[in-house]
Amino acid sequence: MPSINIEVQLSSEQLLKAAEQLTHNNLEEFISQLVILSTHKKATKLLKNEVQLFLKTHQDMVIDHNNYENLIDKREVETLTKEEYQALLYLGEQIDRLQAQRIEYMAELAKIHGISLTKLMESLGLE
């Protein structure tokens, strides 16, 4: 039986009623096509989420690394002022917080891929 393409807007109820008119074989084929469509949409959504998570795990930390390294050097030679010590503690806390967020994002990526966090980190070269 030839088919004709026409553009029509149907509600899900109307679409179901139209599907009721299909033969068993045509209905099976239609269901297969729906499963493929659904899987494709899920995959597209997962890929978008995965890209966002991947970018978050690779964001540069918003930390003044030069200042942090300078403060660490001063701490090692025991020339930190009280204010510098407080700044070093604050920067250390910020780095710890950002690293924890990074691990959370990587854990979500690992879950999407169905692998362990350790395996994901190894595959990204973050051992």
Side-chain angles (χ1 to χ4, degrees), residues 67-103:
N67 186 37
Y68 184 68
E69 295 297 325
N70 183 35
L71 291 172
I72 288 179
D73 291 343
K74 283 185 156 189
R75 181 186 65 190
E76 289 176 2
V77 294
E78 299 179 3
T79 59
L80 273 179
T81 66
K82 192 174 191 177
E83 292 80 21
E84 289 172 329
Y85 179 71
Q86 292 301 318
L88 181 60
L89 287 177
Y90 175 76
L91 288 172
E93 289 172 2
Q94 293 299 332
I95 289 170
D96 289 345
R97 183 182 57 77
L98 290 170
Q99 288 289 55
Q101 280 182 333
R102 186 176 188 204
I103 294 295

Side-chain angles (χ1 to χ4, degrees), residues 27-127:
L27 180 61
E28 290 293 324
E29 183 180 335
F30 182 62
I31 291 170
S32 295
Q33 291 171 346
L34 285 176
V35 169
I36 291 168
L37 176 63
S38 176
T39 303
H40 177 72
K41 286 188 176 206
K42 283 180 189 176
T44 301
K45 183 178 178 184
L46 278 177
L47 287 175
K48 286 179 184 176
N49 291 342
E50 184 175 0
V51 167
Q52 289 171 346
L53 289 171
F54 186 78
L55 291 174
K56 286 179 181 180
T57 64
H58 287 79
Q59 287 176 345
D60 284 337
M61 290 190 223
V62 187
I63 299 291
D64 182 353
H65 291 284
N66 290 333
N67 186 37
Y68 184 68
E69 295 297 325
N70 183 35
L71 291 172
I72 288 179
D73 291 343
K74 283 185 156 189
R75 181 186 65 190
E76 289 176 2
V77 294
E78 299 179 3
T79 59
L80 273 179
T81 66
K82 192 174 191 177
E83 292 80 21
E84 289 172 329
Y85 179 71
Q86 292 301 318
L88 181 60
L89 287 177
Y90 175 76
L91 288 172
E93 289 172 2
Q94 293 299 332
I95 289 170
D96 289 345
R97 183 182 57 77
L98 290 170
Q99 288 289 55
Q101 280 182 333
R102 186 176 188 204
I103 294 295
E104 287 177 23
Y105 295 141
M106 285 193 290
E108 288 182 51
L109 273 175
K111 185 177 179 182
I112 287 171
H113 284 279
I115 60 174
S116 71
L117 177 58
T118 305
K119 284 217 183 276
L120 176 74
M121 291 177 72
E122 287 172 0
S123 71
L124 293 174
L126 301 173
E127 300 171 43

